[in-house]
Amino acid sequence: MPKSPKKGKWYAVRHGREGAKIYDNWGEAEINITRFPGAVHKSFRSLKDAEDWLTSRSMSIKKEPKEPSPEIQELPGPPMPGPSKPRNPTPATMNGVHPQPAPQPAVGLNAPQPSQVQLSPEQRHVLEMVKRGKSVFFTGSAGTGKSVLLREIIKFCRNSNDYGDWGRLSITASTGIASVNIGGSTLHSWAGIGLGKESKEKLVYKLLGYKKEEREQEEKENPDAPKRTDDMNSGFAVDRWRTTRTLIIDEISMIDGHLFDKLEYVARAVRKNSAPFGGIQLVLSGDFLQLPPVPEQVNGAPVPPSFAFEAESWEQCVGRPVFLTKVFRQKDQTFVDILNSMRFGHLEAVTVQKFRQLSRTVRYNDGIEPTDLFPTRREVEMCNHNRLKSINSTPHEYKATDRPGRDEKGNDISLEKMNRLLERLVAPKTITLKVGAQVMLIKNMIQGKLVNGSVGKVVDFITPLEAAQRGTKFAISESNCSGMPPMGREVKMEKWPVVQFQSGDVLLCIPDTFEVNNPEGEIEAMRCQVPLILAWALSIHKSQGQTLDRVRVNLGRIFEKGQAYVALSRATSMERLQVLNFDAAKVMAHPRVMAWMKEQTGQQARDQIDEDIEFWSEDIDIL
Ligand SMILES: Nc1ncnc2c1ncn2[C@@H]1O[C@H](COP(=O)(O)OP(=O)(O)OP(=O)(O)O)[C@@H](O)[C@H]1O
């Protein structure tokens, strides 16, 4: 039996890594619940209460007292920076302090449900490849479950690491926003290559340090360049390169092919391993028909991009792509087929006709309007601003609490850098809301159907105590492993928006934490903000990866290949999709990607894939 805890607190964990157990200190309890899916725990003043709770057969949190207990008055606020800095911890910590709140009594909320994803055979095939240490690139049209699969892969590697038998997992993505979405860092910062414009040899020098003669040679070639010093060495990046077992790169479609080759060279050189990518297991995901690499500028003119699949080393590194073909987002096969033909940029007259018919207005009787998708941020801001202004009710402004963390070397980051990093987040620095404002959740909530992308209307502003008294549930995100509202004193005193969602659920949207991680997997900057954005309009860029039930797309201003497809494929059904200014000429797919896809999806390749799936699906006992 545990001895008496110092501050008279006991932490009962009903569902955690070590099973049901009572701890006498939060530190130990925290280790056993952090990022443990569906962890359930609670703190008590007496050991007997903790034991009673743990042994009580009822799991119903509805039976908890509605009135907050005195413990609620002492709850900590968002985490403050602490002194220690562990090396490469998983999960992310902020200066050694987990960004989870201390355990708190549940107040009118649902017990967290472990995420239960039943992967399709195709998805299981990929996961199985990863488990067996194979490198893989998996792709598929919008809504085929790439993100869901990637999350399961990450979960698998992390869970294996909890038992110490997987190795270092490095999670990266091509862009800042995409990296935040999967809790990783950008590929560039992970690799320690800056912009990566130099030759592959120079990138290696940059990482390993310049030899005297190399430095002199470079200075001779380019006397105006800043002098190289040994400060250019990046021990942390070299360490990452050398110790990583599995490297995840999401949104690989936005990585330039030349850069991919350079990284492959660097991997071999730094790891002193001649195997493709220096023997690192690669797990790449993305769709080349959705987002192309950002074109580089030479003398002010954009240079046509090269795609990662055009890299010389691509095939050696990841072999044949695995295509996910089952579309989950849309149930209507006709709609799936139309979107698919659009993805490849060829539209038959009958399809064009179908899209033109979608210009009609769709009316909803619950007051929640379709979200307008626009190509530019300016259009989005103007629309949301004007709609908010037209509502005649009291505005409530929420300013985020931002905190700097540490960079990969353990140094405190400047406020300027913190601000720059936090621009990657969808969570705004300031948001003004009114009763009647249309909003969108930007985090998956433990409350079943409510996910990143769920739309609703603000119906009230109340304090957490008022919510508890009325039995209004709190919005608790999946990433908050404790399943308890993160309430510091300042959160408890303020009025927060109550949102009625399309599903009928009503939630008090208290602030949540949003993190940007450094390449070592620690928190570099953190924002605490209500998990909402205005949702009369959304940029196509921000809508990427989301599933939207009611959408209106004006194709009039579409300017980039893949943009029309990304926008329209957010919709779940044609009945709830309105398309304005449809113009077949705006549906553009990149010819080189199309040619490559055709080659990859030829009958022979398809037969081989079917065989693979059959092979890998046999006797698989996963998830
Ligand atoms: N195995 C599955 N079972 C049930 N639903 C799934 C499964 N995989 C994915 N989904 C659902 O399908 C929808 C689309 O999934 P996801 O966002 O992962 O697709 P995606 O391929 O990443 O799409 P996009 O390319 O548009 O970002 C989500 O609502 C997700 O919950």
Side-chain angles (χ1 to χ4, degrees):
M1 181 186 288
K3 54 185 179 349
S4 244
K6 268 188 199 151
K7 290 184 185 164
K9 278 218 177 182
W10 300 89
Y11 304 96
V13 175
R14 196 176 248 160
H15 187 50
R17 276 193 190 89
E18 296 186 329
K21 196 170 170 182
I22 295 173
Y23 299 85
D24 61 4
N25 68 82
W26 170 235
E28 232 182 289
E30 189 189 28
I31 290 168
N32 284 294
I33 54 160
T34 299
R35 298 220 176 151
F36 186 80
V40 179
H41 60 93
K42 193 174 169 186
S43 67
F44 294 89
R45 292 268 180 226
S46 84
L47 178 59
K48 181 163 183 322
D49 286 351
E51 283 170 346
D52 286 351
W53 181 77
L54 207 57
T55 50
S56 71
R57 295 178 68 203
S58 165
M59 286 292 287
S60 168
I61 289 187
K62 280 193 191 122
K63 289 186 183 161
E64 300 295 333
K66 283 250 168 99
E67 287 293 323
S69 75
E71 280 173 279
I72 286 188
Q73 310 305 319
E74 303 165 6
L75 302 178
M80 293 294 290
S84 68
K85 180 199 167 274
R87 188 96 163 86
N88 187 35
T90 302
T93 58
M94 182 155 186
N95 303 337
V97 179
H98 287 280
Q100 267 78 35
Q104 301 154 24
V107 186
L109 45 105
N110 293 336
Q113 299 296 316
S115 70
Q116 282 172 343
V117 183
Q118 188 68 43
L119 295 184
S120 66
E122 296 171 324
Q123 289 170 319
R124 284 164 33 126
H125 164 56
V126 175
L127 179 58
E128 195 57 20
M129 286 175 80
V130 174
K131 283 182 170 187
R132 293 179 191 211
K134 287 191 122 199
S135 286
V136 61
F137 161 56
F138 60 92
T139 183
S141 58
T144 47
K146 298 184 291 297
S147 311
V148 165
L149 173 57
L150 201 59
R151 280 201 291 274
E152 289 302 308
I153 290 172
I154 292 172
K155 202 154 81 180
F156 162 76
C157 296
R158 280 196 171 140
N159 284 348
S160 305
N161 266 338
D162 287 341
Y163 300 99
D165 61 358
W166 187 258
R168 187 169 184 159
L169 170 72
S170 291
I171 304 171
T172 72
S174 53
T175 67
I177 291 186
S179 69
V180 164
N181 285 343
I182 54 167
S185 61
T186 63
L187 177 61
H188 283 79
S189 60
W190 176 87
I193 55 162
L195 293 176
K197 303 260 185 237
E198 302 90 330
S199 69
K200 55 189 184 182
E201 293 82 6
K202 282 188 182 160
L203 288 177
V204 174
Y205 297 155
K206 195 167 168 173
L207 282 160
L208 297 181
Y210 282 70
K211 288 187 193 134
K212 187 166 172 278
E213 55 275 25
E214 287 154 356
R215 201 181 297 151
E216 284 168 359
Q217 177 65 22
E218 200 197 30
E219 283 169 12
K220 216 189 298 166
E221 281 171 19
N222 192 358
D224 298 332
K227 298 278 171 284
R228 305 284 183 187
T229 69
D230 285 339
D231 293 346
M232 302 300 289
N233 297 2
S234 176
F236 284 82
V238 170
D239 189 44
R240 284 194 294 275
W241 275 108
R242 289 191 174 148
T243 55
T244 289
R245 167 181 174 161
T246 305
L247 172 63
I248 287 178
I249 312 177
D250 194 14
E251 301 294 7
I252 185 73
S253 67
M254 295 187 75
I255 294 291
D256 183 86
H258 300 302
L259 179 68
F260 187 87
D261 273 334
K262 286 183 198 174
L263 291 172
E264 200 277 332
Y265 175 87
V266 169
R268 277 185 286 121
V270 174
R271 289 166 68 91
K272 297 188 175 61
N273 180 334
S274 59
F277 227 91
I280 294 179
Q281 180 190 22
L282 292 177
V283 178
L284 315 181
S285 171
D287 178 11
F288 287 106
L289 283 165
Q290 287 188 51
L291 291 174
V294 179
E296 288 196 19
Q297 304 266 335
V298 173
N299 300 330
V303 178
S306 93
F307 292 95
F309 63 78
E310 294 174 315
E312 277 175 28
S313 57
W314 174 261
E315 212 163 317
Q316 271 177 289
C317 288
V318 285
R320 214 179 29 243
V322 177
F323 289 92
L324 302 179
T325 55
K326 180 172 169 47
V327 176
F328 292 96
R329 187 171 290 135
Q330 296 90 15
K331 303 277 175 263
D332 171 6
Q333 193 54 41
T334 316
F335 191 28
V336 169
D337 292 342
I338 290 177
L339 287 173
N340 245 332
S341 55
M342 208 183 153
R343 178 162 179 255
F344 287 96
H346 36 76
L347 291 177
E348 290 170 12
V350 55
T351 313
V352 174
Q353 179 65 13
K354 273 227 157 71
F355 273 119
R356 295 238 162 90
Q357 284 166 357
L358 295 182
S359 63
R360 85 280 179 241
T361 303
V362 187
R363 298 202 186 284
Y364 304 92
N365 53 18
D366 59 3
I368 298 174
E369 301 172 37
T371 299
D372 275 303
L373 294 185
F374 291 117
T376 66
R377 212 166 72 179
R378 209 176 56 80
E379 291 165 290
V380 172
E381 281 169 3
M382 213 159 66
C383 173
N384 282 332
H385 174 81
N386 290 341
R387 294 298 303 268
L388 190 71
K389 209 168 135 197
S390 70
I391 298 179
N392 191 14
S393 65
T394 315
H396 290 247
E397 190 183 70
Y398 297 102
K399 284 201 171 78
T401 311
D402 293 343
R403 302 195 180 207
R406 290 191 174 144
D407 67 14
E408 61 177 319
K409 293 175 187 157
N411 302 320
D412 293 339
I413 64 157
S414 66
L415 291 181
E416 194 192 337
K417 181 158 186 205
M418 174 192 79
N419 288 332
R420 233 182 15 252
L421 287 169
L422 292 175
E423 276 173 20
R424 290 178 187 174
L425 298 177
V426 176
K429 194 166 176 61
T430 304
I431 182 168
T432 304
L433 299 171
K434 292 178 180 176
V435 167
Q438 182 156 309
V439 289
M440 181 182 286
L441 267 180
I442 51 173
K443 275 210 163 184
N444 291 340
M445 296 295 156
I446 60 170
Q447 282 91 355
K449 292 162 281 174
L450 295 176
V451 293
N452 182 352
S454 296
V455 175
K457 261 195 187 316
V458 177
V459 292
D460 206 351
F461 292 92
I462 59 175
T463 63
L465 182 59
E466 286 167 329
Q469 284 163 344
R470 291 184 201 175
T472 305
K473 292 176 194 163
F474 291 73
I476 310 291
S477 65
E478 273 179 2
S479 52
N480 172 356
C481 72
S482 71
M484 307 293 171
M487 286 194 288
R489 195 168 297 278
E490 63 275 33
V491 173
K492 285 172 55 206
M493 304 303 291
E494 212 171 314
K495 285 183 187 285
W496 302 101
V498 178
V499 179
Q500 168 137 33
F501 290 92
Q502 218 172 288
S503 58
D505 294 276
V506 178
L507 293 186
L508 180 73
C509 293
I510 50 175
D512 210 318
T513 50
F514 299 84
E515 304 157 8
V516 177
N517 290 341
N518 67 30
E520 294 290 309
E522 295 150 3
I523 295 174
E524 200 164 14
M526 191 168 100
R527 169 163 291 169
C528 200
Q529 178 60 292
V530 288
L532 298 170
I533 53 172
L534 290 174
W536 286 289
L538 190 67
S539 71
I540 295 174
H541 188 59
K542 271 192 191 164
S543 77
Q544 256 257 300
Q546 272 178 339
T547 300
L548 301 173
D549 192 53
R550 301 173 185 184
V551 195
R552 181 164 49 216
V553 187
N554 188 334
L555 293 175
R557 287 170 177 270
I558 294 284
F559 55 86
E560 220 179 59
K561 292 189 180 66
Q563 232 176 11
Y565 172 69
V566 170
L568 297 175
S569 61
R570 300 306 101 201
T572 51
S573 71
M574 284 199 279
E575 289 73 35
R576 288 159 181 259
L577 167 67
Q578 185 181 1
V579 184
L580 302 174
N581 296 314
F582 184 80
D583 175 0
K586 298 264 172 163
V587 178
M588 305 166 279
H590 202 290
R592 295 212 312 278
V593 181
M594 274 162 46
W596 176 77
M597 292 280 283
K598 217 164 158 187
E599 199 182 292
Q600 300 297 321
T601 52
Q603 191 55 49
Q604 207 185 346
R606 277 204 301 271
D607 289 348
Q608 186 60 51
I609 290 165
D610 285 347
E611 269 175 40
D612 281 355
I613 290 182
E614 213 173 295
F615 173 79
W616 289 104
S617 302
E618 279 169 16
D619 301 326
I620 294 177
D621 177 24
I622 44 176
L623 303 173

